Amino acid sequence: MLIQKVSEAQLKNKPKILVIGDLMIDRYIYGNSSRLSPEAPVPIVNIQNESITLGGAANVIQNLVSLGANVNVAGIIGNDNAGIQLIEHLEIDFLDTDLIVKDSTRVTTLKTRIMVGNHQLVRLDNEVTHPMAVELENELIEKIDDAVREADIVVLSDYNKGLLTESFTSRVIALATLYEKKVIVDPKGLDYRKYKGAFLIKPNRKELAEASKSENINSIEKLKNAASVIFDQTDVPYMVVTLSEQGMVLLSPDTHVELPVKATEVFDVTGAGDTVISCIAYFVSLGMDLEDACELANHAAAIVIRRLGAVTTTVEEILADLAQSVKQGVHLAH
């Protein structure tokens, strides 16, 4: 039984997972609004409070910490206050931040959302997305060598902010291949060839359509056709395509497994993709097979989309959701 498999796997080890990706800060400003400005036809927001959370690859890290992984993180930030805040938030979870490099030519990505009630009024992005310099790339490759060798699995969390360039990504995957480590990728952009040599790529439906130059992926056949384009480009053995409230599909070049969504209610799909890739990485690094890992990730996604915002879940919650499905007679993959 899958629940027993997880319990036995957890007793054996605490996986070491290296996350390399675009680190961000999400800032939320909450207020109320009852009138328009006399200066322009825009609402006046009276600020009540604000909060800071981790975003991008940093949200993947939070998910992995919540699952119980031993996480190492590598990336670049600006030499600014947002970068200081990001480091402080990571260190709350006792994470080692020595592999995070400061780039004086960029700012730390900061996304500020103005919220009135549960409605997002506007989002302000402060970011620099140019590719990192070759000197910085060389420094980072040198820094991560030991971490790649010691990791059970490597996660690339790409948000197209200038870190995971074609050159750097290829070098990271080559390093992982040298040390016989699997690489799992949350991709971004229109050209997935830079992920050649990875173990698994996890796009969502929209990302897959754009990268494969496909239109209107509204059936499993169209999805398989789009995926075949990426398989041809990258030679990866596996792909997981997330379909928001419709679940996900695990594909190889020759087969596919559909995993319908487990949620009875869908409130917010924000951050669900981060949860999925975190769970797949975590359970595969425990030694579980990929289909079981995807089944568990599907239950994890069901948990987080029942909640508002980018939230995390735990192995205990996932197993409870799985047990509830068994109780209700839902067919599960074993």
Side-chain angles (χ1 to χ4, degrees):
M1 189 175 182
L2 192 48
I3 294 174
Q4 186 177 346
K5 285 184 184 179
V6 175
S7 300
E8 291 174 353
Q10 283 189 297
L11 289 173
K12 293 178 181 177
N13 61 14
K14 182 175 183 178
K16 295 180 180 179
I17 299 176
L18 172 61
V19 178
I20 305 171
D22 295 302
L23 305 166
M24 308 179 197
I25 285 281
D26 286 328
R27 181 184 181 214
Y28 292 85
I29 297 176
Y30 300 93
N32 55 47
S33 178
S34 59
R35 62 193 180 99
L36 295 177
S37 169
E39 303 166 357
V42 295
I44 296 172
V45 177
N46 293 309
I47 297 173
Q48 304 298 308
N49 56 67
E50 65 177 83
S51 66
I52 295 288
T53 60
L54 296 173
N59 188 45
V60 174
I61 292 160
Q62 288 188 130
N63 274 272
L64 287 166
V65 170
S66 182
L67 291 169
N70 185 347
V71 187
N72 209 345
V73 50
I76 52 176
I77 58 174
N79 190 15
D80 52 18
N81 287 332
I84 293 170
Q85 287 181 314
L86 193 148
I87 295 294
E88 288 175 347
H89 274 69
L90 289 171
E91 289 177 344
I92 289 173
D93 290 319
F94 304 103
L95 290 165
D96 187 346
T97 58
D98 289 347
L99 302 183
I100 298 176
V101 177
K102 289 183 179 178
D103 182 355
S104 59
T105 70
R106 68 178 67 234
V107 296
T108 304
T109 299
L110 172 64
K111 297 182 178 181
T112 302
R113 297 165 177 85
I114 312 297
M115 309 291 294
V116 176
N118 289 326
H119 176 66
Q120 185 179 145
L121 199 63
V122 67
R123 192 180 93 181
L124 310 173
D125 288 5
N126 188 21
E127 63 183 15
V128 171
T129 59
H130 64 249
M132 66 173 166
V134 174
E135 296 79 13
L136 202 63
E137 177 184 318
N138 292 335
E139 178 185 349
L140 202 48
I141 285 290
E142 186 176 340
K143 276 180 171 286
I144 67 172
D145 188 287
D146 286 344
V148 173
R149 186 176 65 249
E150 294 171 4
D152 293 307
I153 205 163
V154 178
V155 176
L156 302 184
S157 180
D158 194 350
Y159 280 81
N160 216 19
K161 304 301 181 187
L163 172 70
L164 289 165
T165 61
E166 181 178 353
S167 172
F168 180 64
T169 304
S170 299
R171 292 175 73 181
V172 171
I173 294 174
L175 195 60
T177 302
L178 175 67
Y179 294 130
E180 299 181 334
K181 310 295 181 178
K182 291 184 174 72
V183 176
I184 293 180
V185 181
D186 201 343
K188 197 69 70 179
L190 301 178
D191 190 352
Y192 286 6
R193 285 175 293 185
K194 67 179 180 179
Y195 306 126
K196 189 179 181 69
F199 171 70
L200 180 147
I201 299 177
K202 187 214 69 65
N204 61 34
R205 190 202 316 255
K206 181 175 181 290
E207 290 165 343
L208 175 61
E210 291 172 347
S212 64
K213 297 180 172 56
S214 305
E215 292 184 6
N216 196 23
I217 300 178
N218 57 6
S219 69
I220 191 64
E221 285 306 313
K222 289 183 178 179
L223 189 147
K224 287 164 62 179
N225 289 337
S228 69
V229 174
I230 306 304
F231 283 127
D232 289 342
Q233 288 179 354
T234 63
D235 292 329
V236 298
Y238 298 105
M239 188 182 309
V240 171
V241 183
T242 53
L243 305 173
S244 191
E245 65 275 3
Q246 292 179 315
M248 66 180 79
V249 180
L250 167 63
L251 303 105
S252 69
D254 302 317
T255 62
H256 77 277
V257 178
E258 296 180 59
L259 299 164
V261 72
K262 305 298 181 183
T264 53
E265 297 176 289
V266 179
F267 287 111
D268 191 351
V269 297
T270 303
D274 292 337
T275 299
V276 168
I277 196 164
S278 301
C279 285
I280 293 173
Y282 178 76
F283 290 113
V284 168
S285 65
L286 280 179
M288 303 189 67
D289 68 56
L290 184 55
E291 189 171 334
D292 282 345
C294 289
E295 179 69 37
L296 293 161
N298 205 24
H299 280 277
I303 292 167
V304 299
I305 66 177
R306 291 195 290 255
R307 302 168 180 169
L308 290 175
V311 296
T312 62
T313 187
T314 65
V315 174
E316 290 73 24
E317 287 180 327
I318 295 169
L319 295 183
D321 197 79
L322 181 61
Q324 183 65 25
S325 293
V326 172
K327 188 176 179 180
Q328 293 172 351
V330 176
H331 174 71
L332 301 174
H334 292 279

